[in-house]
Amino acid sequence: GAVVSQHPSRVICKSGTSVKIECRSLDFQATTMFWYRQFPKKSLMLMATSNEGSKATYEQGVEKDKFLINHASLTLSTLTVTSAHPEDSSFYICSASFEDRGEQYFGPGTRLTVT
Amino acid sequence: GQNIDQPTEMTATEGAIVQINCTYQTSGFNGLFWYQQHAGEAPTFLSYNVLDGLEEKGRFSSFLSRSKGYSYLLLKELQMKDSASYLCASEDSNYQLIWGAGTKLIIKP
């Protein structure tokens, strides 16, 4: 149980375009979903926390207009990278939990390459 | 299928040593991560093993055996602040991460 999927697993897009990444909890209802970015030294940076039906809470330094997060249902959250630039190329990972401070279940990640 | 197994919970005593095991079965293998996560916080990167053997970083060491699909995280001189969840994640041939469910480590005085 507690499986989280992400789609697509990898995407290549041109600079200036927008890309949407989906995060789904397959066998449970996720009240909270988290979006992370993994940097080359393998550290994970929390970008934002989203609760179903409400606006996402962004971490300091993360542009909310650039990284649009929608948590439309208890099983789906989306991250849209708008007007992507090469520096946005990274590995984006989502996680989901039953409650705000509960155990998190991680997705496999989405590798974004902006050319 | 792809699978990662690690114990759900472990208890250890302050000042002691604890070893958290992780076994994995993935489609190809590009490396294995260990993260520490305190409740309500983002995971903190601990180690990334690609080659067989032991890598030591202060009080924490990580071991990998690719032929056995096995890794462990060794924590020495345990401190109360080491109480956390420890996540094992394997990177498959597509560089996707397969996550374990995490091991909750409880440290007792």
Side-chain angles (χ1 to χ4, degrees):
Chain A
V3 177
V4 175
S5 71
Q6 284 183 236
H7 178 80
S9 57
R10 58 176 63 187
V11 57
I12 301 172
C13 71
K14 291 187 177 179
S15 188
T17 61
S18 295
V19 174
K20 180 185 283 188
I21 302 170
E22 292 185 348
C23 176
R24 292 182 185 272
S25 56
L26 299 185
D27 51 2
F28 67 100
Q29 293 188 323
T31 50
T32 306
M33 285 186 169
F34 305 84
W35 285 96
Y36 296 89
R37 184 170 174 175
Q38 186 186 43
F39 286 94
K41 287 187 177 180
K42 314 302 182 181
S43 61
L44 290 180
M45 181 195 81
L46 178 64
M47 299 173 67
T49 303
S50 74
N51 293 295
E52 184 263 339
S54 61
K55 288 184 179 179
T57 302
Y58 290 80
E59 296 298 303
Q60 194 170 11
V62 178
E63 298 174 59
K64 64 174 97 174
D65 293 332
K66 180 165 184 64
F67 298 99
L68 300 177
I69 291 171
N70 185 298
H71 193 159
S73 75
L74 285 171
T75 59
L76 173 65
S77 176
T78 59
L79 167 68
T80 301
V81 183
T82 63
S83 187
H85 290 283
E87 57 265 30
D88 299 324
S89 298
S90 191
F91 195 51
Y92 293 88
I93 300 170
C94 75
S95 69
S97 73
F98 300 99
E99 52 196 37
D100 190 28
R101 293 178 67 87
E103 191 172 337
Q104 293 180 30
Y105 301 94
F106 288 83
T110 296
R111 188 163 301 281
L112 170 64
T113 303
V114 185
T115 60
Chain B
Q2 309 208 91
N3 191 46
I4 295 246
D5 284 317
Q6 54 181 128
T8 305
E9 187 174 295
M10 299 181 71
T11 303
T13 306
E14 191 177 13
I17 298 173
V18 72
Q19 177 174 311
I20 304 174
N21 295 325
C22 171
T23 57
Y24 63 89
Q25 288 178 305
T26 54
S27 302
F29 178 77
N30 275 310
L32 189 123
F33 295 88
W34 282 98
Y35 288 91
Q36 178 194 61
Q37 187 175 31
H38 287 99
E41 297 180 14
T44 303
F45 169 76
L46 294 178
S47 66
Y48 176 59
N49 292 63
V50 178
L51 301 176
D52 287 352
L54 184 69
E55 289 194 9
E56 298 185 63
K57 263 189 205 178
R59 294 190 299 115
F60 292 6
S61 302
S62 57
F63 172 83
L64 176 68
S65 169
R66 288 173 299 175
S67 62
K68 294 181 179 177
Y70 168 68
S71 172
Y72 67 71
L73 181 69
L74 190 72
L75 293 77
K76 301 177 186 175
E77 301 169 20
L78 286 170
Q79 301 174 11
M80 297 303 293
K81 66 178 183 179
D82 297 330
S83 291
S85 280
Y86 291 84
L87 300 160
C88 168
S90 172
E91 195 172 42
D92 69 13
S93 55
N94 292 316
Y95 297 95
Q96 294 257 277
L97 292 176
I98 312 303
W99 295 85
T103 298
K104 184 177 180 181
L105 178 62
I106 300 168
I107 309 296
K108 294 186 175 179

